[in-house]
Amino acid sequence: MSIFTPTNQIRLTNVAVVRMKKGGKRFEIACYKNKVVNWRAGAEKDLDEVLQTHTVFVNVSKGQVAKKEDLTKSFGTDDLTEICKQILAKGELQVSDKERHTQLETTFRDIATIVAEKCVNPETKRPYTVNLIEGAMKDIHYSVKPNKSSKQQALEVIRQLKESMEIQRAHMRLRLVLPAKEAKKLKEKLKPLLQVVESEDFDEQLEMVCLVDPGCFREIDELIRCETRGRGSLEVLSLKDVEEGEEKF
């Protein structure tokens, strides 16, 4: 979709429209696709990366700009950036049926991926595949909630799946051995990936026993191998079931 504004002939392409009704009037802003979701999730902080223009429209596709007096009356200000932020936060993102369907499918897959990364079969202590989790989600007729994050929904899915299959949140218990020279720097890099550090012993090298999410295992393994050039080591000690009360991502 290509849109022209009659006031300054700025050509707007790849437009996502966010619409809001306020004071009995309709207001719209022109944004970049995908950026609206990123902004609302807190992943994007730069407003200029989200807005195509700091202009408030009555109708983006026709290029009709909102009148200053209507903005002041409805929003109590004529500060366009502030009004854009309000519309961005509370407005409704306009998407086609096809786009909405694609978005829901992607989110469904994201939720299944998170569940597969965080859980194991408590009997075998082995993780489930993403495809198996997707199948189980379809069996319980789980429907995606567009206003909730994939992580929030993954927790809900785990709770629901427990009623129909053997599934449990899990942590892996690992022993990390890091050479003294790289230990301090590497520990800082590893810290965001570790859920709980159970013990730490520094002699000629740093030895740590910690709990991690199964989904972080590969990243930790690669980090240790690359940073220590093969001189560090990683050992899986066990899988530990997580209690209900500990459930958070």
Side-chain angles (χ1 to χ4, degrees):
M1 178 169 39
S2 295
I3 296 171
F4 290 87
T5 63
T7 48
N8 52 13
Q9 293 296 296
I10 293 177
R11 186 176 184 184
L12 302 175
T13 57
N14 191 28
V15 176
V17 174
V18 180
R19 182 182 298 159
M20 184 178 184
K21 286 185 178 176
K22 198 169 173 73
K25 295 188 180 294
R26 185 176 87 172
F27 301 100
E28 297 182 346
I29 54 175
C31 305
Y32 293 102
K33 288 191 176 180
N34 303 326
K35 290 293 185 177
V36 176
V37 176
N38 292 350
W39 173 271
R40 287 175 171 175
E44 179 59 69
K45 307 288 186 188
D46 186 352
L47 196 61
D48 290 328
E49 290 290 320
V50 183
L51 298 176
Q52 298 231 2
T53 168
H54 288 246
T55 305
V56 180
F57 298 86
V58 174
N59 188 314
V60 169
S61 61
K62 292 179 182 176
Q64 296 172 348
V65 179
K67 293 176 183 174
K68 189 174 179 180
E69 54 266 34
D70 288 342
L71 292 172
T72 306
K73 188 178 175 184
S74 297
F75 292 93
T77 178
D78 61 359
D79 182 335
L80 291 176
T81 300
E82 195 50 48
I83 294 169
C84 284
K85 281 183 179 177
Q86 282 193 46
I87 297 173
L88 201 50
K90 299 175 184 174
E92 188 180 328
L93 178 61
Q94 307 300 301
V95 291
S96 68
D97 288 342
K98 186 181 176 184
E99 283 178 313
R100 188 177 286 110
H101 182 69
T102 303
Q103 207 171 4
L104 289 175
E105 278 191 337
T106 303
T107 306
F108 192 89
R109 180 80 176 175
D110 287 345
I111 295 167
T113 302
I114 292 169
V115 173
E117 285 178 349
K118 305 286 184 186
C119 294
V120 293
N121 179 326
E123 289 181 4
T124 64
K125 302 295 184 187
R126 293 183 66 82
Y128 286 108
T129 64
V130 176
N131 287 342
L132 194 145
I133 296 295
E134 277 191 296
M137 285 167 66
K138 286 171 185 170
D139 289 343
I140 63 169
H141 307 293
Y142 185 80
S143 43
V144 172
K145 299 166 185 66
N147 58 337
K148 281 191 169 186
S149 74
S150 297
K151 286 186 176 182
Q152 285 176 311
Q153 294 186 74
L155 278 176
E156 181 56 39
V157 166
I158 293 167
R159 276 191 281 272
Q160 290 186 29
L161 287 180
K162 281 181 178 178
E163 295 174 16
S164 58
M165 65 187 285
E166 293 291 328
I167 189 167
Q168 184 78 47
R169 280 287 308 280
H171 282 153
M172 296 177 87
R173 180 178 281 109
L174 305 177
R175 179 186 286 120
L176 315 180
V177 179
L178 313 176
K181 192 178 176 184
E182 292 91 357
K184 190 176 180 183
K185 184 180 167 187
L186 187 49
K187 184 185 168 186
E188 288 305 309
K189 288 187 178 181
L190 287 167
K191 201 179 280 184
L193 303 171
L194 309 180
Q195 294 288 329
V196 179
V197 176
E198 292 186 329
S199 68
E200 201 172 315
D201 184 33
F202 196 96
D203 192 4
E204 291 179 1
Q205 52 194 8
L206 176 61
E207 185 176 313
M208 297 165 67
V209 174
C210 50
L211 300 178
V212 304
D213 277 325
C216 295
F217 177 80
R218 187 171 295 170
E219 193 177 345
I220 293 168
D221 186 34
E222 285 177 6
L223 198 56
I224 291 173
R225 274 193 290 114
C226 292
E227 294 284 331
T228 68
R229 294 182 180 85
R231 288 180 294 113
S233 68
L234 170 61
E235 180 189 353
V236 179
L237 298 178
S238 66
L239 280 164
K240 172 181 176 286
D241 293 339
V242 178
E243 298 302 319
E244 269 315 310
E246 294 178 63
E247 283 201 341
K248 56 177 182 282
F249 289 149

